[in-house]
Amino acid sequence: MPAGTFTRPIRAMQRNPVRPMKHVVVRSFAWSLMLSLPIILPAVETTTPPGQASAVSPLFEALKFREQVSRDLLGGTETRESALKRLRAHPAPIGQGLTPDAEYAFAVVEIAQRLAAAGRHADAEGLFRESEEALGRALASLRKDDTHERVLLLRKRAMVRSYHLGKGTEAKADFDEAVKARPGDKAIVRQRDLLLSRYGELNRAAASNQN
């Protein structure tokens, strides 16, 4: 596949935005939300036996913490640098038993998504780039036999690169590596196919705009 295949349609869209592209953008954004947002447990009240610590509480505490960081950023009482410093220092588990580097990267992705949803796209892009770098550091620190976390991080980075940074070629490479690490995993293959389909739509739309 020629170099720049995935990125050319995005540049073409930026140069020549047209109304017919709206359905492509909306559909792609919907898939982005479904595939890249972290799973949030419902706030169900549970009873914990005396003397036994709740396994759910740390997850809700982490969620509340990330919500607070997001509000502080949106309200202007927190800078990007201080917010990232708080995230590095504060244990913020997402419930998947990841390494601290990976937990940090996932937390940054979540807050970036909150900023994007609030219309703070420039600020969100900076955080998405930070999460891309953090995911790279987390991947580099993994043991070779840690397949579960490697695949999880590759899929997350692919989502960030594809849907938020416009790096389709790099995202496909992440999916290819994930498929190689866990051959036969149909979920990864479906996500990769969705990525290729999405950029195929953009390619076709960009070509029709140029005609």
Side-chain angles (χ1 to χ4, degrees):
M1 185 177 295
T5 299
F6 288 147
T7 55
R8 281 199 301 270
I10 294 176
R11 292 196 294 269
M13 289 168 60
Q14 292 172 342
R15 290 196 302 269
N16 186 27
V18 293
R19 289 184 179 275
M21 286 299 300
K22 186 180 296 183
H23 73 284
V24 176
V25 175
V26 170
R27 183 161 52 192
S28 298
F29 179 70
W31 278 109
S32 169
L33 289 178
M34 285 190 290
L35 291 174
S36 61
L37 280 173
I39 298 173
I40 299 176
L41 298 175
V44 178
E45 184 176 352
T46 59
T47 302
T48 304
Q52 180 179 338
S54 170
V56 177
S57 178
L59 301 182
F60 282 111
E61 289 300 318
L63 176 60
K64 287 168 56 179
F65 171 71
R66 293 194 292 270
E67 287 177 343
Q68 184 61 55
V69 173
S70 301
R71 284 196 296 268
D72 292 343
L73 281 168
L74 290 170
T77 60
E78 182 91 76
T79 66
R80 175 179 176 270
E81 291 72 19
S82 62
L84 293 176
K85 186 176 180 180
R86 286 174 65 189
L87 288 174
R88 289 191 189 98
H90 192 285
I94 62 170
Q96 301 197 49
L98 303 179
T99 61
D101 284 339
E103 296 278 11
Y104 165 75
F106 273 59
V108 174
V109 171
E110 181 182 329
I111 291 174
Q113 289 168 332
R114 292 177 185 274
L115 294 183
R120 297 274 292 274
H121 299 293
D123 295 330
E125 182 178 351
L127 291 179
F128 282 126
R129 293 190 185 283
E130 168 68 18
S131 70
E132 179 189 25
E133 294 177 3
L135 288 163
R137 292 192 299 269
L139 282 162
S141 66
L142 290 178
R143 301 189 314 271
K144 290 184 178 180
D145 61 348
D146 197 343
T147 303
H148 171 74
E149 186 160 340
R150 183 174 304 279
V151 169
L152 192 64
L153 296 180
L154 285 168
R155 292 170 73 175
K156 176 62 74 172
R157 190 171 67 175
M159 291 295 102
V160 169
R161 285 175 161 176
S162 170
Y163 290 101
H164 303 296
L165 297 178
K167 296 182 176 182
T169 302
E170 293 89 340
K172 180 180 179 298
D174 282 341
F175 275 128
D176 288 343
E177 187 175 345
V179 170
K180 184 178 179 180
R182 189 182 290 166
D185 190 319
K186 295 182 179 180
I188 304 175
V189 174
R190 282 196 297 269
Q191 284 185 313
R192 184 180 61 179
D193 290 347
L194 176 62
L195 170 72
L196 296 175
S197 174
R198 173 177 182 258
Y199 279 96
E201 286 182 344
L202 295 178
N203 275 314
R204 288 190 295 272
S208 65
N209 290 340
Q210 294 170 356
N211 294 334

